[in-house]
Amino acid sequence: MAEKIQAILDHQQIEVAPGTSILEAAALVNVKIPTLCHHDDLQVAGNCRVCLVEIEGRDVLEAACATPLSQGMVIHTLSPKVRRARRDIVSLLVSEHKTQCTTCFRSMNCELQSLSAEYNVDNVTYQSLLDESEPVDNSSWSIEKDTSKCIRCQRCIRSCSDIQHVNALDVFGRGSNMKISTFMNLPMNEIVCTNCGQCVVHCPTGALTERRYNNEVWDALGDPEKFVAINTAPSVRAGLGEMFGLAPGTPVTGKMVAALRKMGFDAVLDTDFAADLTIMEEGSELLQRLTMKFRDGKDIPIPMLTSCSPGWVKFIEHMYADLLGHLSTAKSPQQMFGAVLKTYYAQKKGLNPQDIVCVAGMPCAAKKYEANRPEMKASGFQDVDMGLTTRELGYMIKQAGIDFNSLPDEDFDPVMGESSGAGAIFGTTGGVMEAALRTVYEIITDREIPFSNLDIQPVRGMQEIKEASLLLENCKPEYSFLEGLELKIAVVHGLTNARDIMNQVAAGESPYHFIEIMACPGGCIGGGGAPIPTTKEIREQRALALYKEDAGKPVRKSHENPEIKQIYDEFLKEPLSDISHRLLHTHYQKRRRY
Amino acid sequence: MNENENHSSGIIKKSDLIFAQYKTMYTVLESSLQLSAEQIIETMLDSGLRGRGGAGFPTAKKWQAAASVPAVQRFVICNADEGEPGTFKDKAILRQVPRKVLTGMALCAKAIQATEGYIYLRAEYRNLADELQAHIDIFHEYCDRFKLDFRVKIFMGQGAYVCGEETALIESMEGKRGEPRNKPPFPTEVGYLGKPTVVNNVETFATAMIIFKVGASEYKKLGTPDSRGSKLFSVSGDTRKPGVHELELGMSLYDFVKEFGDGDTKAVQVGGAAGMCVPRREFKNTIIGFEGVPTGGSMILFNSKRSMYNVLHNYLDFFNQESCGQCTPCRVGCQQLLLGTEAVKKGEKDTVYLEQLIRLTETMRIGSKCGLGRSVGNAFNSIVENFKEEILY
């Protein structure tokens, strides 16, 4: 253990481990140093210079985020020199920023706006450098890029590189021409981008936002000819409360349903139902693959990879196109939902599918792209018409004038509104795996999975790569070929980690049978459509909310969801049936890597 | 002011160490390699040599620092990204006495136990590469003969001024965008490929060789206690003797102008765009050296026909294009200075706006990430304060 560093920060004696930055040390003693380019999820950049502090004996100021404490340092975070410099720097940022806060989606949730207010910055000290020559890039279904609002903090670049290893965005040009751009300055829909939206969640301003569909949804709601059905993903209920000032991890399922009903949705349904459906199909596909391999001795791609995360799906299409055979053909819950909404649900309710508008509330940016994939028309119509992020939903509830926090709890509408606890945990890393194992293990052995209270602890938590194995014993006669097999599974989140796991698969060295991969850190609860800010602590709280919801459900296993039994009895017949295949499974395409 | 008086005596001491041509090949290298690493650093320490790129960091301290960090691999990099406006002395060294530079690098390699060295050659000096490579090939033969495990490669820069900053240079060598890193850690600890690295200017390495040739005690007789030795100056502008001149440090600018001026010198820009503009009335009080106005070698003389507004505009335009753009004070500050200066000239902004811009340069000086943003104010303030009426009218 190296010697502790002693220093004085704003007249307080502090003692920290070597390597601790001034910013981290300040947080330990509740001294708040303003930041812009810093984000706990990302590598230190030290380029906005807002966190400058004064160190006694040094003429120039130092960036608190990038400066490690050294022995005997005396630091002032609020000296006049510091405040003057900080104010000047925020003024400079404002001078190149499009300060039309009244029309900005990020207004009231913008770090530059807060800092400008805090430092009482004006826009007359410096001349405006605003350059609006570059039009807003709304070519992507998911992400909108407005360079005029960019403050060049490079958080988007680091998100795309540190967390996702995709590098869709990078710095372009020098000096006054320096900006954040794409490969060859191409529009966002022509580059290698997974649409995950991590750049959006990490953007401090309105430079990167989701492409928004609230107005289209309002129009649909106001159209008497349309039957507008919304389904909301598990993570939406774990994060939506943050849009209304509630602590992260406050479950707001009942209030959310009440609010959506008040807004005029004709049906308020649950994506968790479709998550259960996904487990039925994906779990059955896993069993089918295991059967073909271990009983029939066929050369079938194992490990099977989950396919619920559209960011991840686009990633593998670009980066590991030769391994697409490993990817489960099961659609994501959102797309399964749309496909059965406009067939099964329409039949049951006597609706013309043409009049149904399927709206999906998702903590995700990539889901917007997924909804618009040309192949996603299994029902004969575009299965999912519009995707909304948790943030857009929050804004819409505010626009409707609803006092969210005082709403009573309400329940989802019947038919595709009921779900198991397994469906709820889909939103967090490890959740799909846990849900799948609860069902698959039981199908193989006719026994419940041997974990206390059905909680599969090894796949829970925020560890980057989780692995576990499960010994299959006393299998049912029809699965005797699996007797004694140690089923090996892995769970990863964040595409940088996915790359590590996939390199193993590509090398033919993957020890696993089944791998869950989610594009975003923490899974959907850390998605590109989740409330801002999203940090490690907030993701943990949201995940806990989902585990709480699971624990409180009377039904914990997808195959025991009565509405799931019903849809198979009445409509789909059985998992992997012809009709299931037509509606609930999809195919993928190879995409270029560059 | 003693020194000042000494050096205002009208004597400008020329020197001829750097360009001296030797008849034998690498004899200094051969004899110096008999010394231990510690002895090499000791000699350098004794010589008092400070970096010749402009910042003037004691060279021996750099070598010592890199040598003291435990590592399996270390690197020696020769910074030949000579981009400061008005500087062209490194080009002359690489053309005329490349063996001195290579010897200096080899001594550094021995001192820090490095086996690989690089010459980061400015993009505009591509025409020097072939000849330099031929010298390197011969140098490698001598390394083998002297049993020194050391190889030097040329790395071509891509034309960014900021890559003369040592961490930006390293980033660029690693295939990344040439942007300065956060310091600490310094390159001597975490440098090229994360390994301890010494980055020295071309002239620094050449001078290191000279120190071993003449001996530290002989070498430090030149110059002043703060600025040991002689140094190359790139003299340009309104001068009778443009070119590269080797002069002892510590002279007064007055003497310098007497020697090089055209009789009508209004101001001298000492140290290039990042340096200071010294007006005529300050010539006598200005010492060229680390105790006065330091320079990487660039000396640009302006006579009374020159518009200092144009001079300033030119520098600001330059910084505006060459800022890497990553940190706020430099990226936006440079643009504001340029735009603000133009606005004042056109009468769109009140003259007091210049005060605001001077305050801005202070923010840039104390707030920027690297030396580029920190030094923009040198030229701006010295020109605005000394030639205000030219800026205004």
Side-chain angles (χ1 to χ4, degrees):
Chain A
M1 186 67 198
E3 202 189 337
K4 290 259 188 185
I5 305 280
Q6 307 275 349
I8 295 171
L9 189 138
D10 286 351
H11 312 294
Q12 295 184 68
Q13 182 73 42
I14 52 172
E15 190 186 77
V16 295
T20 308
S21 74
I22 296 175
L23 185 67
E24 290 163 336
L28 294 176
V29 289
N30 290 323
V31 170
K32 187 177 171 270
I33 298 176
T35 57
L36 266 179
C37 71
H38 182 80
H39 195 291
D40 284 341
D41 284 348
L42 307 172
Q43 282 187 43
V44 168
N47 59 26
C48 75
R49 315 305 284 178
V50 164
C51 69
L52 290 174
V53 293
E54 188 171 355
I55 298 169
E56 278 187 18
R58 292 195 199 176
D59 181 28
V60 299
L61 305 178
E62 303 284 359
C65 67
T67 309
L69 280 165
S70 58
Q71 209 60 264
M73 227 180 218
V74 181
I75 302 149
H76 301 283
T77 75
L78 273 177
S79 67
K81 191 173 171 182
V82 167
R83 284 194 64 85
R84 261 200 304 274
R86 276 189 201 154
R87 183 171 189 272
D88 225 10
I89 286 162
V90 179
S91 302
L92 292 173
L93 286 170
V94 167
S95 80
E96 63 175 358
H97 179 77
K98 181 174 180 175
T99 48
Q100 291 189 2
C101 300
T102 44
T103 58
C104 184
F105 184 59
R106 284 292 299 275
S107 187
M108 311 304 281
N109 183 20
C110 167
E111 294 178 39
L112 182 64
Q113 195 183 38
S114 319
L115 264 181
S116 306
E118 220 170 285
Y119 278 82
N120 200 10
V121 163
D122 60 48
N123 59 359
V124 291
T125 306
Y126 295 114
Q127 302 187 69
S128 172
L129 301 171
L130 177 61
D131 176 8
E132 289 188 275
S133 58
E134 197 174 321
V136 175
D137 182 349
N138 54 11
S139 62
S140 154
W141 288 110
S142 297
I143 297 167
E144 214 173 86
K145 182 167 165 287
D146 184 351
T147 298
S148 67
K149 291 178 183 166
C150 175
I151 57 166
R152 278 91 169 150
C153 67
Q154 304 188 31
R155 266 159 52 166
C156 53
I157 294 177
R158 282 174 284 146
S159 306
C160 204
S161 118
D162 298 1
I163 301 175
Q164 303 297 50
H165 217 296
V166 172
N167 299 305
L169 298 170
D170 208 343
V171 179
F172 189 92
R174 275 205 306 261
S176 51
N177 295 319
M178 184 268 205
K179 63 172 184 176
I180 311 308
S181 192
T182 55
F183 177 64
M184 302 290 282
N185 255 328
L186 288 168
M188 292 288 285
N189 66 337
E190 289 178 32
I191 57 167
V192 175
C193 167
T194 66
N195 301 304
C196 73
Q198 284 304 313
C199 55
V200 175
V201 196
H202 289 93
C203 181
T205 70
L208 286 157
T209 52
E210 61 271 50
R211 182 162 162 190
R212 293 178 293 285
Y213 297 84
N214 356 12
N215 290 334
E216 286 87 336
V217 173
W218 280 124
D219 286 348
L221 287 171
D223 185 343
E225 305 292 309
K226 298 289 183 196
F227 182 90
V228 189
I230 188 165
N231 66 97
T232 52
S235 297
V236 174
R237 67 205 64 174
L240 188 62
E242 294 164 42
M243 298 296 292
F244 303 95
L246 299 175
T250 310
V252 291
T253 316
K255 290 186 196 306
M256 174 185 74
V257 172
L260 296 172
R261 205 163 273 143
K262 264 182 181 292
M263 285 162 70
F265 284 100
D266 297 297
V268 181
L269 305 174
D270 199 351
T271 319
D272 292 16
F273 163 84
D276 283 334
L277 198 54
T278 301
I279 287 305
M280 299 304 292
E281 294 295 326
E282 201 169 70
S284 302
E285 185 186 344
L286 177 66
L287 282 171
Q288 191 185 44
R289 286 187 191 229
L290 292 174
T291 305
M292 287 167 83
K293 182 168 174 84
F294 291 106
R295 192 190 65 191
D296 309 341
K298 284 192 178 154
D299 188 20
I300 188 90
I302 298 269
M304 185 175 93
L305 311 167
T306 61
S307 55
C308 321
S309 165
W312 148 242
V313 168
K314 188 137 184 283
F315 179 83
I316 182 175
E317 285 181 329
H318 282 295
M319 306 293 180
Y320 296 93
D322 295 340
L323 302 176
L324 281 170
H326 288 266
L327 195 58
S328 164
T329 58
K331 286 180 183 172
S332 72
Q334 165 179 291
Q335 293 308 125
M336 286 197 181
F337 194 97
V340 291
L341 181 76
K342 293 189 178 181
T343 52
Y344 169 70
Y345 186 90
Q347 281 173 28
K348 268 188 101 72
K349 296 279 177 178
L351 295 164
N352 182 350
Q354 202 175 339
D355 298 330
I356 299 179
V357 177
C358 178
V359 179
M362 297 284 147
C364 187
K367 291 271 174 207
K368 291 168 184 278
Y369 171 83
E370 187 188 30
N372 287 291
R373 278 179 176 249
E375 66 271 24
M376 294 297 181
K377 291 188 172 68
S379 62
F381 304 91
Q382 182 166 330
D383 295 331
V384 178
D385 295 282
M386 295 152 201
L388 297 173
T389 61
T390 308
R391 299 185 292 267
E392 282 170 284
L393 267 182
Y395 278 98
M396 288 184 73
I397 293 168
K398 286 177 191 170
Q399 283 170 354
I402 295 168
D403 181 8
F404 186 81
N405 294 342
S406 66
L407 287 174
D409 285 353
E410 292 183 16
D411 283 331
F412 288 105
D413 289 321
V415 185
M416 300 171 58
E418 206 166 318
S419 64
S420 73
I425 56 174
F426 249 63
T428 172
T429 169
V432 175
M433 182 57 73
E434 181 163 348
L437 291 181
R438 284 182 194 171
T439 291
V440 169
Y441 186 85
E442 204 162 312
I443 294 176
I444 296 172
T445 65
D446 214 12
R447 294 189 309 278
E448 281 197 338
I449 193 141
F451 284 92
S452 141
N453 203 23
L454 297 179
D455 295 348
I456 308 181
Q457 293 297 349
V459 299
R460 295 189 175 188
M462 292 296 158
Q463 209 185 315
E464 290 179 345
I465 297 178
K466 291 167 278 189
E467 34 180 20
S469 63
L470 197 57
L471 188 62
L472 301 177
E473 283 177 311
N474 302 321
C475 298
K476 287 198 289 190
E478 59 265 46
Y479 290 109
S480 56
F481 57 90
L482 293 176
E483 187 67 36
L485 178 75
E486 211 184 337
L487 189 71
K488 289 188 171 159
I489 56 107
V491 174
V492 294
H493 52 123
L495 294 172
T496 300
N497 301 325
R499 217 179 249 279
D500 293 344
I501 280 282
M502 287 309 290
N503 286 342
Q504 240 183 358
V505 177
E509 290 164 359
S510 181
Y512 310 110
H513 299 106
F514 187 29
I515 306 175
E516 177 204 298
I517 303 183
M518 293 290 160
C520 293
C524 309
I525 43 109
I532 299 170
T534 292
T535 62
K536 185 167 172 284
E537 290 71 29
I538 292 174
R539 287 192 289 269
E540 280 167 354
Q541 290 306 314
R542 291 179 191 153
L544 284 178
L546 294 184
Y547 286 122
K548 233 184 274 171
E549 177 136 335
D550 168 36
K553 286 264 189 182
V555 178
R556 306 278 307 284
K557 295 174 269 186
S558 299
H559 57 279
E560 289 177 359
N561 176 349
E563 286 195 343
I564 289 290
K565 289 181 184 170
Q566 194 184 3
I567 194 174
Y568 279 107
D569 285 348
E570 294 177 6
F571 184 67
L572 295 168
K573 296 184 185 73
E574 58 181 11
L576 309 181
S577 69
D578 282 353
I579 182 162
S580 297
H581 258 294
R582 193 163 55 76
L583 292 177
L584 307 180
H585 290 258
T586 185
H587 55 273
Y588 306 104
Q589 55 172 292
K590 292 187 175 194
R591 295 175 195 270
R592 66 196 158 76
R593 281 195 75 158
Y594 302 102
Chain B
M1 297 304 284
N2 259 343
E3 278 167 4
N4 189 15
E5 282 158 24
N6 281 345
H7 290 278
S8 294
S9 57
I11 303 162
I12 183 143
K13 294 184 192 159
K14 294 174 194 172
S15 183
D16 190 19
L17 291 169
I18 288 181
F19 292 121
Q21 295 288 340
Y22 305 138
K23 290 199 176 64
T24 51
M25 295 277 270
Y26 295 112
T27 44
V28 176
L29 178 61
E30 185 174 20
S31 58
S32 310
L33 285 175
Q34 307 305 315
L35 301 171
S36 68
E38 292 74 22
Q39 284 170 319
I40 291 174
I41 290 175
E42 197 53 47
T43 306
M44 291 297 290
L45 208 54
D46 192 23
S47 75
L49 178 64
R50 293 172 69 164
R52 294 306 195 217
F57 190 81
T59 307
K61 292 248 167 75
K62 231 184 215 186
W63 294 15
Q64 215 163 25
S68 68
V69 177
V72 284
Q73 199 178 14
R74 297 184 183 81
F75 295 103
V76 178
I77 297 174
C78 171
N79 184 347
D81 193 40
E82 185 177 38
E84 192 60 54
T87 322
F88 38 85
K89 44 112 187 161
D90 292 340
K91 181 164 73 176
I93 295 175
L94 290 171
R95 263 205 182 131
Q96 297 174 37
V97 287
R99 298 202 312 257
K100 287 201 176 81
V101 179
L102 292 167
T103 301
M105 289 178 74
L107 293 169
C108 177
K110 166 104 195 217
I112 70 167
Q113 280 123 47
T115 56
E116 280 179 49
Y118 292 88
I119 297 177
Y120 188 98
L121 193 60
R122 184 184 185 200
E124 291 82 346
Y125 290 174
R126 195 175 292 277
N127 59 336
L128 303 185
D130 286 348
E131 210 177 315
L132 187 58
Q133 185 59 52
H135 283 287
I136 291 172
D137 292 341
I138 297 168
F139 166 73
H140 286 162
E141 286 171 24
Y142 280 90
C143 286
D144 291 345
R145 197 180 298 171
F146 303 152
K147 307 240 178 321
L148 179 70
D149 179 13
F150 185 56
R151 284 291 178 271
V152 173
K153 288 185 191 135
I154 296 175
F155 187 97
M156 286 310 304
Q158 295 297 321
Y161 170 72
V162 74
C163 287
E165 198 278 346
E166 58 182 0
T167 58
L169 181 150
I170 289 169
E171 286 282 294
S172 149
M173 281 183 61
E174 290 177 354
K176 299 178 203 146
R177 199 180 139 81
E179 287 184 347
R181 296 176 177 172
N182 291 306
K183 285 164 282 185
F186 290 92
T188 45
E189 195 181 334
V190 182
Y192 179 52
L193 305 179
K195 303 292 189 296
T197 303
V198 166
V199 184
N200 277 150
N201 175 260
V202 173
E203 186 183 347
T204 309
F205 281 126
T207 308
M209 180 271 173
I210 289 160
I211 288 165
F212 285 88
K213 165 100 177 166
V214 302
S217 48
E218 200 58 32
Y219 182 78
K220 67 181 177 188
K221 285 181 186 161
L222 301 172
T224 65
D226 282 330
S227 309
R228 296 286 184 202
S230 59
K231 155 146 209 24
L232 294 187
F233 290 85
S234 308
V235 183
S236 67
D238 300 314
T239 168
R240 287 181 287 126
K241 299 176 184 171
V244 179
H245 301 272
E246 185 176 340
L247 307 170
E248 258 185 69
L249 286 167
M251 68 194 151
S252 81
L253 191 55
Y254 180 84
D255 293 335
F256 175 87
V257 168
K258 229 159 82 178
E259 175 80 17
F260 294 98
D262 64 355
D264 184 23
T265 307
K266 170 163 79 175
V268 181
Q269 182 73 21
V270 182
M276 305 286 266
C277 186
V278 184
R280 177 161 201 89
R281 65 173 180 281
E282 297 292 334
F283 287 173
K284 275 197 174 163
N285 300 323
T286 303
I287 303 290
I288 303 302
F290 297 108
E291 62 270 58
V293 182
T295 170
S298 173
M299 303 292 278
I300 309 174
L301 292 86
F302 301 114
N303 67 20
S304 63
K305 295 191 196 76
R306 304 288 164 185
S307 152
M308 295 313 286
Y309 173 81
N310 287 349
V311 168
L312 177 61
H313 192 278
N314 186 20
Y315 289 152
L316 292 176
D317 205 27
F318 171 78
F319 284 124
N320 212 9
Q321 289 174 40
E322 292 297 343
S323 163
C324 77
Q326 67 163 322
C327 84
T328 312
C330 182
R331 176 185 71 250
V332 194
C334 289
Q335 295 177 69
Q336 290 293 352
L337 289 179
L338 179 64
L339 213 64
T341 310
E342 286 174 350
V344 170
K345 185 78 171 176
K346 287 187 218 146
E348 290 166 5
K349 283 272 182 193
D350 211 344
T351 54
V352 293
Y353 192 60
L354 285 178
E355 305 298 320
Q356 175 63 41
L357 295 180
I358 287 172
R359 282 198 293 277
L360 169 59
T361 63
E362 176 63 4
T363 299
M364 293 170 73
R365 188 183 71 81
I366 61 176
S368 294
K369 191 168 184 171
C370 82
L372 197 163
R374 286 176 186 170
S375 54
V376 173
N378 291 347
F380 185 87
N381 294 349
S382 56
I383 294 176
V384 167
E385 277 160 10
N386 291 311
F387 302 96
K388 202 166 190 171
E389 61 203 54
E390 288 192 49
I391 303 305
L392 292 176
Y393 307 108

